Amino acid sequence: MKDIKVNVKDLSVFYGTNMALNKISMEIPEKKVTAFIGPSGCGKSTFLRTLNRMNDLIDNVRIEGEVWMDDIDIYHKDVDVVNLRKKVGMIFQKSNPFAKSIYENIAYGPKINGISQKQKLDEIVELSLKQAAIWDEVKDRLHDSALGLSGGQQQRICIARTLAVNPDIILMDEPASALDPISTAHVEALIHELKKYYTIIIVTHNMQQAARTSDLTAFFYLGELVEMDKTRTIFTNPAKKQTEDYISGRFG
Amino acid sequence: MQSYFQEELIKLRKRIMKMFVLAGSQIDRAFLSVTNRDFETDDTALINENRIDKLDTKIDKLCQRIFALAQPVATDLRFIMSSLRIANEIERIGDIAFDIIERSEVLRPFPETLDEFKITPLFSDVQQLVNRTAEAYTNNNSELAKEILMACKKNEESCKSVFNEIISQMTEKSQVILIATDLILVIRDLERITNHLENIAESVVFIVEGKRFRHLNQQ
C-alpha cells in the first residue's frame, strides 16, 4: 500500500440537527483511485465535499472530527481555504466550463495565482490539455468558446482546468454520469492515466465504473461507512451483507 | 430487471440440477450394465448423454447472456462462474459413465470377479458422492462440500488399492488378465468421476465462502 494522502478521523457532519455523516474514519492512499459508492442520500457526496471544505459554503453545517492531508489538519483555523482548494481540485457531474475560450478556461486558475507571462501560460495550457487527453482535439481552436465542445470534451476541459493549478488531489463527483459511453470511456481512461500523478477520489452511482476505475472502494449507507477495501475484494467477496446487497442490486 | 436477473439465476441452478440427475442416472445405468448379467442395452444411455450435452450448451449460453446483460458481482459472480465450470465437470462425468456402459459387455458375464475385486462398493460410493455433491450445490452447503472433498480423497485411495490388487492378481493368475484389463479401465473411470466431483465440491466452497480450494489440497 502506498503512503496515506488523506487521513479522516471520526468525521461527523450535521446539516442543522440532521446528521449526514456519522463518525467516518478512513485512510485514502496517495496516487490511487478511491471510489465512494452508496445509494442517494447516503452521505458520499457530503463526505467528498468535506475534503476540500466545500460544505463550509452551506449554511447551518457543523463538522466534527479531523481531516488530515499529509500533515495538515484542513479544518484547523489557520488553514487558508483558497489554498486548500488549489491543492484539492474538483470535477462535477455536469461539466461547467466558463463562457470563455478553451485557452482562457485553462489559463484562468494560473492567472489568478499570479502567472502572467504568456509563454508560461501557453506551456501550462498545452500541458494541462495534454494530460487531460484533449489536446489533439482542440489544439487548432484554442480560442474558440469552450461551450461549443461536446459534453465529453467539456468535461475533459474541466479536468484540464483543474490540472492547470497543479493539485495533489482530484475529487470527482459522478464525472461521467451525464456522458455517452464513448465519452465515459475517455474519462475513465483519463482517470487511469492521471492516478500516476494525482490522488483521485470519485463518487459514482455506476457500479461498473467504480469496479473499472478504482483501486479501493468505500461503501456508504445512511451516513455510515459500511465497508472499505480493495475494489477487487468489494466486487468479488465483500465482507458485509449490506455491501453485497447493494452492489448486486438487491437493496430495499 | 432485478426479478428477471433472479429468474435467470434460478434457471441456471435448475439446469445444473437436471444435469446432476441425468449424470447420476447414467452412473446407475453404468453400474447395472457392468454388474447385472440380465442388463439389456437400449437407447436410454445415448438419449441421456445427448440431453446432458444439450444442457451443457444451454448453460454456456445462459451464463454468457447473464454476464453480458447483468454484470454480476460478488456471490452472484462466483455462482455463475462456478456453475459454468460445474456444468463442464458434470458433462465429463456423463461422458465417462457412457464409456463404461459401452465397455460393459466384456465384464457383464463375470459378476463373481467383480465381487472379488469389490467393484460394487466402489460404484456405490461414487453414486453416493454424486447425490451428496448435488445436494451441496443445491443447498449452497459448503460444510457438506468439505466433507465430500475428504470422502473423494478416501475414494481415490480405495480405487488405487483395488487397482493394485488387480495388478497383483494379474501377475499371479494369467487367466484373469483379459477381464482385469477392462476392470482397470472401469476403476480408472470411477477415479476420474471422483476427481470431477472433487472439483465440483471445491466450486461449491468457492461459491459460498469465496475461498479457493482449487489445487490447494494437491500441494
Side-chain angles (χ1 to χ4, degrees), chain B residues 13 21 26 35-36 45 68-69 102 118 185 191 212 219:
Chain B
R13 195 182 286 276
V21 171
Q26 288 292 75
T35 57
N36 187 348
L69 302 183
E102 286 206 312
K118 303 186 187 87
L185 290 175
E191 200 179 347
R212 291 176 197 279
Q219 285 166 10

Side-chain angles (χ1 to χ4, degrees), chain A residues 7-251:
Chain A
N7 192 354
V8 180
K9 297 175 184 173
D10 286 332
L11 183 84
S12 296
V13 177
F14 300 83
Y15 294 122
T17 54
N18 189 18
M19 182 188 267
L21 286 174
N22 185 12
K23 294 201 172 198
I24 307 291
S25 293
M26 177 188 293
E27 291 181 339
I28 296 172
E30 189 177 26
K31 291 179 185 168
K32 295 271 181 192
V33 180
T34 302
F36 295 166
I37 60 169
S40 298
C42 69
K44 56 192 188 299
S45 292
T46 298
F47 185 67
L48 193 76
R49 287 197 297 265
T50 59
L51 302 179
N52 67 349
R53 290 188 53 174
M54 268 185 63
N55 287 322
D56 292 10
L57 306 171
I58 302 168
D59 290 339
N60 241 350
V61 167
R62 183 162 56 88
I63 292 161
E64 291 174 2
E66 297 169 19
V67 179
W68 291 81
M69 269 176 202
D70 298 322
D71 51 356
I72 297 165
D73 175 4
I74 66 165
Y75 281 93
H76 191 275
K77 59 182 172 50
D78 294 337
V79 166
D80 175 354
V81 178
V82 174
N83 215 21
L84 170 74
R85 291 190 191 134
K86 212 165 69 182
K87 286 282 153 204
V88 188
M90 188 152 185
I91 310 294
F92 297 89
Q93 179 177 3
K94 181 143 177 28
S95 54
N96 53 356
F98 305 137
K100 290 172 179 285
S101 70
I102 294 166
Y103 184 96
E104 282 302 322
N105 263 275
I106 312 302
Y108 185 85
K111 273 184 183 172
I112 58 169
N113 284 318
I115 298 171
S116 55
Q117 202 188 345
K118 186 174 180 310
Q119 193 192 341
K120 181 71 186 159
L121 286 172
D122 287 352
E123 279 172 20
I124 292 173
V125 169
E126 181 174 340
L127 181 67
S128 306
L129 290 169
K130 278 182 175 167
Q131 277 195 314
I134 195 172
W135 171 251
D136 288 339
E137 292 164 60
V138 300
K139 65 183 177 197
D140 299 325
R141 44 174 172 155
L142 290 177
H143 298 287
D144 291 358
S145 169
L147 298 177
L149 297 170
S150 72
Q153 288 172 323
Q154 286 187 17
Q155 192 62 305
R156 280 180 287 148
I157 290 293
C158 293
I159 293 172
R161 188 176 64 190
T162 302
L163 300 180
V165 293
N166 196 23
D168 286 348
I169 299 172
I170 303 173
L171 309 178
M172 297 184 165
D173 196 353
E174 297 189 54
S177 65
L179 304 181
D180 66 71
I182 295 168
S183 303
T184 300
H186 275 133
V187 170
E188 288 181 4
L190 184 55
I191 290 170
H192 189 69
E193 196 55 31
L194 291 175
K195 76 171 180 179
K196 291 177 190 161
Y197 313 101
Y198 307 96
T199 300
I200 298 174
I201 304 166
I202 177 171
V203 163
T204 178
H205 273 128
N206 182 332
M207 293 299 108
Q208 272 66 48
Q209 185 168 70
R212 282 191 299 261
T213 59
S214 68
D215 301 294
L216 291 117
T217 297
F219 170 56
F220 288 82
Y221 185 57
L222 297 176
E224 312 252 357
L225 174 62
V226 176
E227 184 173 357
M228 181 176 182
D229 209 329
K230 285 179 185 158
T231 297
R232 74 177 81 134
T233 305
I234 292 283
F235 284 92
T236 56
N237 198 9
K240 303 276 175 65
K241 188 177 180 303
Q242 267 181 326
T243 314
E244 165 115 23
D245 286 348
Y246 181 71
I247 60 170
S248 53
R250 288 194 176 82
F251 231 61

